[in-house]
Amino acid sequence: MAKFAAHLLYFLAAAIGRLPWPWLMRLGDGLAALWLRLDARESRVARRNLELAYPDLLPAERAQWHRQILRTTARQALETVRLWTRPHARNLRSIRHSHGTELFDAAIAAGNGVIVAAPHHGNWELLNQWLAQRTALAILYRPPESAIGEAFLNRVRAAHGDAADRVTQIRAEGPAVRQLFKRLGGGGVVGILPDQQPKAGDGEFAPFFGVEAFTMTLLGRLAQRTGATVLFAWCERVDTQADGPGFALHVEAAPADIAAADPRVAVAALNRCVERIARRDPAQYQWTYKRYTLRPPGSGERNPYKTG
C-alpha cells in the first residue's frame, strides 16, 4: 500500500516538476510569504536559529535575512521536486562550474574508501546525482516517520540510466554502521549529511556558530578506523535562468582532525568545516532544521525552540 501511495505521490511531484521554472519560483515565493504570515514552523525555527547563530545582527538585518532564507528554502523545495522527477543527465547540465573534482577521482583511485560529507547547503540532492554518475555509493539517511514518505524517497533518490543500481540507501539505524565499515573497508564510497543532530549517545557537543551543538561522532569514527579519505562536497546556486537555477559543484579535502581519535576534537573540526561552508551564503543553508534541540548536560539550558 505504501509503495502504491508513493507511486501516486511521484506522479503528482512529476506534474509539478514539469511546470516552467518561473512559475515554480513564484509558487515558492508565495509559499515563503505564507510561512511568514502564518508564522509557520519553518518561519519560527529559521528565526530562532538566526537569533542563536547571528546574535549581533540588527533587528532589521535579521528580518531581511529571515525573509531571504524562507524564500530560498521554499524555492529549493520545488527545485528538488524537479531534480527528483527529471532525467539525471538533464539535471547535471545545470552544474555550470566544478571545483576540486580531481580530489574525488584521486580518492577513489587510492582505493582506501571515500567519505563524502555533504552539508545541508545548496542542493544536496543534485550532489547525490553527480556522485552516482561517477561511482557506486551508499547514502546514509534518516528515514521519514511515514512509510509512504520513505518509499517515495527510495524511489526518487535511486540512480537512473547508466547509473542505475549504483545508489544503495542505508537507514541510519543500528545495522548501518556495520554496512558502512564494510563498504569503506572494500574501498567504496559513502555519503553522509554531517550536520543532522544524532540521537542521544551517538554524538558529542561542539561549537557551531558559537553555540554548543550535539554533533555526530560516526563520521569521525569511520574515518579514524578505516583510513578512508574524507571530502566535503556541495552544489551551490550561482545563477537563475529561464530554464532553472545554475550551480557550482565544490569538493574540498577535510582537515586531518576530522579523523582524530578524540571524538571531541573530531566533531569540533567537523562543525568548523560545515560552518565555513554555510557562511559562504547563509540563505542557502538549511536554517529550518532544529539543530540545537539537545543541550549540554548540566548546562541548565533549555531547548531553545520551546516556548512558554
Side-chain angles (χ1 to χ4, degrees), residues 90-264:
R90 182 179 177 186
N91 294 335
L92 294 174
R93 290 198 291 269
S94 66
I95 297 178
R96 320 280 194 222
H97 314 285
S98 297
H99 307 277
T101 56
E102 69 279 0
L103 296 174
F104 184 69
D105 294 335
I108 292 177
N112 297 322
V114 184
I115 301 171
V116 178
H120 288 85
H121 182 80
N123 198 301
W124 49 95
E125 298 293 345
L126 181 60
L127 173 64
N128 287 342
Q129 294 179 12
W130 180 84
L131 292 170
Q133 288 295 319
R134 309 281 285 206
T135 186
L137 75 153
I139 298 174
L140 184 69
Y141 76 102
R142 182 175 297 173
E145 294 181 2
S146 163
I148 296 173
E150 182 171 12
F152 176 76
L153 281 182
N154 285 334
R155 171 163 185 173
V156 297
R157 284 180 171 167
H160 293 173
D162 295 338
D165 301 324
R166 282 190 178 183
V167 177
T168 301
Q169 301 185 69
I170 300 177
R171 294 166 62 100
E173 297 175 344
V177 176
R178 292 193 297 273
Q179 295 180 60
L180 297 178
F181 272 113
K182 182 178 179 179
R183 182 170 288 263
L184 291 171
V189 179
V190 167
I192 296 178
L193 296 165
D195 46 355
Q196 288 184 324
Q197 181 175 256
K199 295 179 181 179
D202 292 337
E204 292 280 352
F205 281 94
F208 184 59
F209 283 87
V211 181
E212 292 293 312
F214 198 57
T215 305
M216 68 164 59
T217 54
L218 173 62
L219 191 151
R221 284 190 288 126
L222 289 171
Q224 198 267 330
R225 295 181 188 178
T226 66
T229 300
V230 182
L231 300 172
F232 281 86
W234 67 96
C235 283
E236 189 172 74
R237 293 175 203 84
V238 293
D239 63 47
T240 298
Q241 300 182 9
D243 62 341
F247 297 85
L249 173 75
H250 295 267
V251 179
E252 291 185 358
D257 281 353
I258 210 85
D262 186 338
R264 291 170 295 184

Side-chain angles (χ1 to χ4, degrees), residues 71-85:
R71 185 178 67 177
T72 302
T73 300
R75 285 185 177 187
Q76 179 182 319
L78 295 170
E79 166 191 292
T80 299
V81 167
R82 292 178 91 226
L83 293 172
W84 276 341
T85 57

Side-chain angles (χ1 to χ4, degrees), residues 237-304:
R237 293 175 203 84
V238 293
D239 63 47
T240 298
Q241 300 182 9
D243 62 341
F247 297 85
L249 173 75
H250 295 267
V251 179
E252 291 185 358
D257 281 353
I258 210 85
D262 186 338
R264 291 170 295 184
V265 173
V267 297
L270 176 61
N271 280 355
R272 283 195 300 270
C273 291
V274 174
E275 180 177 335
R276 180 181 53 79
I277 293 167
R279 285 186 183 275
R280 292 172 57 91
D281 183 356
Q284 293 199 43
Y285 189 67
Q286 191 186 33
W287 292 108
T288 55
Y289 177 69
K290 294 182 178 181
R291 185 68 178 86
Y292 302 108
T293 301
L294 297 177
R295 308 312 308 138
S299 68
E301 299 177 18
R302 61 192 296 272
N303 181 343

